[in-house]
Amino acid sequence: MRDLAQKWPVAPDWQSATIGAPGLEARTIPGLHQLLVSGDLDAWARISGMDGNGVGAFGSAQGDRYAARLARDRLLVVSSTPLAIAAGWHAEGFAVTAISAGLHVFEVKGSAIDAFIARGSTLDPKQESASAALSFAGVSAIVYRHRDRLRIHVDRGLASYLWTWIETALRA
């Protein structure tokens, strides 16, 4: 029987993998806590003490805890430390799902971020949209700015593909 795994490239060591090019550098951000919040986002904001609006695509998130808007009633909440809110349905009208293991996070920094965005999306990188969920580099992703960097969340199964795409885009 043929070993079909041989035709796939080996995934990078995500802890240390970086790609550099003039004006840009990409790496993985490990260890972030990610929650999907669905339902009454005003109730979520009251209970969690966090902003219930979230940033849209290319919007700028600040701090160690923030949210990205995915839909009218859905947020991706990202934190460098665990949040003290339980997963599951909350009687106040929202549900919380831990999805840290399901999403891989990339970060791109440098002076050529807008040109990089233009390669991956048809959206104007200078114009924030209502939702951070979009098609980026041919895959569904959550894209926003964090401080002066671009963060991209993708399904973990697509991380190797996006890494290859980023490598090609930065070196082209």
Side-chain angles (χ1 to χ4, degrees):
M1 179 179 251
R2 285 188 348 203
D3 181 8
L4 297 177
Q6 291 180 352
K7 65 182 186 176
W8 295 103
V10 176
D13 175 8
W14 295 122
Q15 299 297 322
S16 62
T18 60
I19 303 170
L24 287 171
E25 181 181 310
R27 68 185 182 108
T28 292
I29 304 296
L32 291 178
H33 299 273
Q34 301 174 78
L35 300 174
L36 184 64
V37 178
S38 304
D40 185 341
L41 300 181
D42 291 332
W44 155 260
R46 284 191 306 276
I47 301 297
S48 69
M50 293 183 64
D51 177 24
N53 293 320
V55 298
F58 313 126
S60 184
Q62 302 295 324
D64 293 331
R65 290 184 176 182
Y66 55 88
R69 178 68 75 136
L70 305 181
R72 183 177 302 123
D73 62 349
R74 186 161 288 173
L75 293 174
L76 173 67
V77 177
V78 181
S79 177
S80 60
T81 58
L83 292 159
I85 192 153
W89 176 253
H90 292 257
E92 293 83 355
F94 62 89
V96 176
T97 306
I99 60 169
S100 299
L103 294 178
H104 193 97
V105 185
F106 294 103
E107 186 173 80
V108 181
K109 68 178 181 177
S111 60
I113 284 179
D114 287 351
F116 174 77
I117 291 170
R119 291 187 67 117
S121 173
T122 58
L123 299 177
D124 181 354
K126 295 182 184 346
Q127 183 70 37
E128 180 178 347
S129 72
S131 173
L134 58 106
S135 177
F136 189 85
V139 298
S140 294
I142 301 163
V143 184
Y144 57 90
R145 296 175 195 267
H146 184 253
R147 298 184 176 106
D148 62 339
R149 298 161 187 212
L150 187 72
R151 286 204 173 162
I152 307 166
H153 299 245
V154 295
D155 288 341
R156 193 161 299 279
L158 298 171
S160 290
Y161 160 78
L162 189 58
W163 186 252
T164 302
W165 184 92
I166 290 171
E167 188 172 40
T168 303
L170 292 187
R171 297 208 170 128

